[in-house]
């Protein structure tokens, strides 16, 4: 179960099933007890009724036993006819244990079963038992609840009176009860689980809302947002408050970090400018020895690279602080692309790469920050040339349709591994193949981070497609209406 909602529903359903099961068992046991009590009181009253009839008949007639045609003693037919209507199992024996009467149910038993029944009556000590007993007559025969009693009021002609009833009559009601419970269980469970799921969903709705709100806080620039704290001061309200406090702390440390980066870059710029001016002045002196000149040139290169790095850092820090303003004005983007393309041409010539620039015949006018967009185009062209081996090709294309303006910079270079693609816009990230600051492909790993910021600051987006060894295509889109 992936979600809390699913788990809650599962727990709820399990708890429901368990409590229903307990309820059903208790109900079943109580009902069963009551059924057997009913059965027992029924056989008691049947026994009492029969004993009453016999006592009454004895008072009226005296003799109740007569010999039948085979000279065996039987109950006189008038009384037997009355007892015929008594339901269930009724057996009467004489004092010497002979059978005097058996009710129709008893007579319906098989011979062996009937024998077991009469044996049970015969073996009961005189005086009988008033507490009901339980006996199964034969392996396949019915199980009976019974009482056996004597009938002293009937003139001592009878040994014992057996009254019993089949337990099936009590079980029948119980079976109906079980099937009713099962049906109610199945019919009731589905809606109950659905309601449980709905309730869990409702209870967790604020959590979903929080997830959405937290998801929207994607980077340092959205850290100022706060979650809505529910009015009721429950656990979720406390969670929202705790998250808000955490975001306040994060925002503070982010701000401190940005400030530090901006301040450090700014502070370093002035001494670096002084160093550069000094080195440039020293280089131009005619009396500089050859080996010192080489060292000075290397220093100057390094100082230029550091200045570039500081500029990039400062741009990003200002962008993070929201202080990097765009000076937008309507510009024909074809001019910017051609201009950047000319610089790119020089680089491409030097790197032995052919370069192709295609722009549409009509002006592509958009309100943009000219120098930022130029920086973006140049960054992409420089990268394309830098990561394309000699003999390769770079093509830059500007196109426009109704909704948006597209700029693609495609190269036939080394490409980017699929695993690296998600990281290339991260700050200071460089692929392993590019990881030398001063080697054949010098760089800082900040170019694409800045390019992404420039595209997004203009309401646009930047995407990349690449296949290792085949080449890379960067696509920048600017919305026409927005920019
Ligand atoms: P860098 O200064 O290293 O060029 P970027 O931010 O411009 O920094 O690029 C980040 C990384 O993305 C590069 O180090 C390189 O590994 C990869 N990359 C960028 N552009 C291309 C390209 N056109 N072809 C192949 N890899 C590229």
């Amino acid at each position: 179960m992936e979600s809390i909602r699913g788990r809650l529903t599962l727990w709820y359903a399990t708890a429901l099933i368990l409590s229903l099961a307990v309820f059903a068992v208790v109900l079943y046991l109580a009902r069963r007890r009551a059924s057997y009590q009913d059965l027992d009181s029924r056989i008691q009253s049947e026994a009492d009724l029969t004993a009453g009839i016999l006592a009454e008949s004895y008072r009226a007639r005296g003799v109740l036993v007569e010999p039948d045609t085979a000279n065996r003693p039987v109950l006189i037919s008038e009384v037997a006819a009355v007892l015929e209507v008594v339901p269930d199992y009724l057996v009467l024996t004489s004092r010497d244990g002979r059978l005097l009467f058996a009710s129709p149910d008893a007579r319906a038993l098989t011979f062996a079963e009937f024998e077991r029944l009469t044996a049970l009556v015969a073996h009961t000590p005189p005086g009988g038992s008033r507490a009901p007993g339980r006996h199964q007559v034969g392996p396949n025969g019915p199980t009976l609840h019974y009482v056996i009693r004597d009938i002293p009021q009937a003139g001592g002609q009878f040994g014992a009176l057996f009254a019993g009833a089949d337990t099936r009559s009590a079980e029948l009601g119980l079976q109906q009860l079980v099937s009713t419970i099962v049906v109610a269980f199945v019919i009731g469970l589905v809606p109950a689980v659905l309601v449980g799921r709905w309730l869990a969903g409702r209870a967790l709705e604020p959590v979903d809302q929080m997830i959405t709100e937290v998801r929207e806080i994607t980077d340092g620039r959205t850290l100022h947002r706060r979650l809505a704290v529910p009015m009721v001061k429950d656990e979720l309200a406390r969670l929202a408050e705790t998250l808000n406090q955490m975001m306040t702390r994060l925002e503070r440390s982010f701000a401190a970090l940005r400030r530090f980066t901006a301040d450090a870059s700014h502070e370093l710029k002035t001494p670096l400018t002084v160093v550069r001016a000094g080195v440039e002045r020293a280089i131009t002196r005619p009396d500089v020895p050859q080996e010192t000149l080489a060292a000075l040139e290397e220093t100057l290169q390094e100082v230029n690279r550091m200045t570039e790095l500081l500029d990039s850092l400062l741009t990003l820090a200002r962008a993070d602080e929201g202080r990097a303003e765009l000076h937008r004005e309507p510009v024909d983007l074809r001019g910017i692309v051609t201009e950047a393309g000319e610089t790119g041409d020089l680089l491409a010539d030097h790197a032995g790469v052919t370069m192709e620039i295609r722009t549409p015949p009509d002006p592509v006018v958009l309100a943009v920050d000219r120098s930022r967009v130029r920086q973006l185009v140049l960054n992409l062209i420089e990268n394309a040339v830098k990561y394309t081996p000699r003999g390769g090709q770079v093509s830059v294309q500007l196109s426009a349709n109704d909704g948006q303006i597209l700029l693609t910079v495609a190269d036939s270079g080394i490409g980017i591994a699929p695993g690296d693609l998600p990281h290339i816009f991260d700050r200071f990230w460089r692929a392993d193949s590019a990881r030398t600051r001063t080697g054949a492909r010098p760089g800082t790993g900040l170019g694409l981070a800045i390019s992404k910021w420039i595209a997004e600051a203009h309401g646009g987006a930047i995407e990349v497609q690449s296949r290792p060894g085949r080449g890379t295509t960067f696509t920048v889109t600017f919305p026409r209406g927005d920019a």
Side-chain angles (χ1 to χ4, degrees), residues 379-380 383-388 409 411 413-416 423-426 428-435 441-451 466 471-474:
N379 262 349
L380 296 181
N383 273 353
V385 172
K386 194 158 65 173
Y387 298 105
T388 302
V409 179
D411 63 57
I414 59 171
I416 303 166
H423 306 291
I424 59 161
F425 296 106
D426 294 351
F428 291 112
W429 190 90
R430 309 193 73 206
D432 284 342
S433 55
R435 235 169 247 247
R441 295 179 176 124
T444 57
L446 289 176
L448 284 181
I450 292 178
S451 304
S466 185
T472 307
T473 303
F474 282 92

Side-chain angles (χ1 to χ4, degrees), residues 50-59 61-66 73-77 79-80 83 90-102 121 124-128 148-162:
T50 312
I53 292 171
L54 291 175
E56 199 54 45
S57 309
Y58 172 68
R59 260 197 300 279
R61 295 163 185 273
V63 178
L64 296 180
V65 179
E66 60 183 13
V74 289
L75 193 65
I76 57 169
S77 53
V79 179
L83 293 188
L90 198 65
V91 175
L92 268 176
T93 55
S94 64
R95 289 189 81 85
D96 53 3
R98 291 190 191 203
L99 179 72
L100 295 178
F101 172 80
V121 183
T124 306
I148 298 176
R149 54 174 290 182
D150 54 359
I151 320 159
Q153 305 92 327
Q157 301 166 53
F158 300 101
L161 161 65
F162 172 98

Side-chain angles (χ1 to χ4, degrees), residues 76-90:
I76 57 169
S77 53
E78 290 87 346
V79 179
V82 176
L83 293 188
E84 281 290 308
V85 296
V86 177
D88 300 325
Y89 296 81
L90 198 65

Side-chain angles (χ1 to χ4, degrees), residues 7 31 180 186 221 245 249 272-273 335 341 389-390 399 451:
R7 277 204 296 275
R31 193 71 212 100
T180 314
V186 173
R221 267 166 282 168
Q245 286 160 6
R249 287 196 297 272
L272 214 56
T273 316
R390 201 161 272 281
S399 60
S451 304

Side-chain angles (χ1 to χ4, degrees), residues 345-429:
D345 255 343
L346 296 177
L347 294 171
D349 264 0
H350 191 249
V353 172
T354 45
M355 174 116 169
E356 182 199 13
I357 297 186
R358 276 181 287 163
T359 52
D362 301 323
V364 183
V365 180
L366 197 65
V368 295
D369 184 318
R370 176 192 286 273
S371 64
R372 291 295 184 203
V373 174
R374 186 174 181 282
Q375 187 183 4
L376 161 66
V377 183
L378 206 56
N379 262 349
L380 296 181
I381 294 178
E382 269 174 12
N383 273 353
V385 172
K386 194 158 65 173
Y387 298 105
T388 302
R390 201 161 272 281
Q393 197 181 344
V394 171
S395 56
V396 181
Q397 184 176 3
L398 180 70
S399 60
N401 58 33
D402 286 348
Q404 55 188 14
I405 292 164
L406 282 178
L407 170 78
T408 52
V409 179
D411 63 57
S412 60
I414 59 171
I416 303 166
D420 291 344
L421 277 178
H423 306 291
I424 59 161
F425 296 106
D426 294 351
R427 294 171 190 189
F428 291 112
W429 190 90

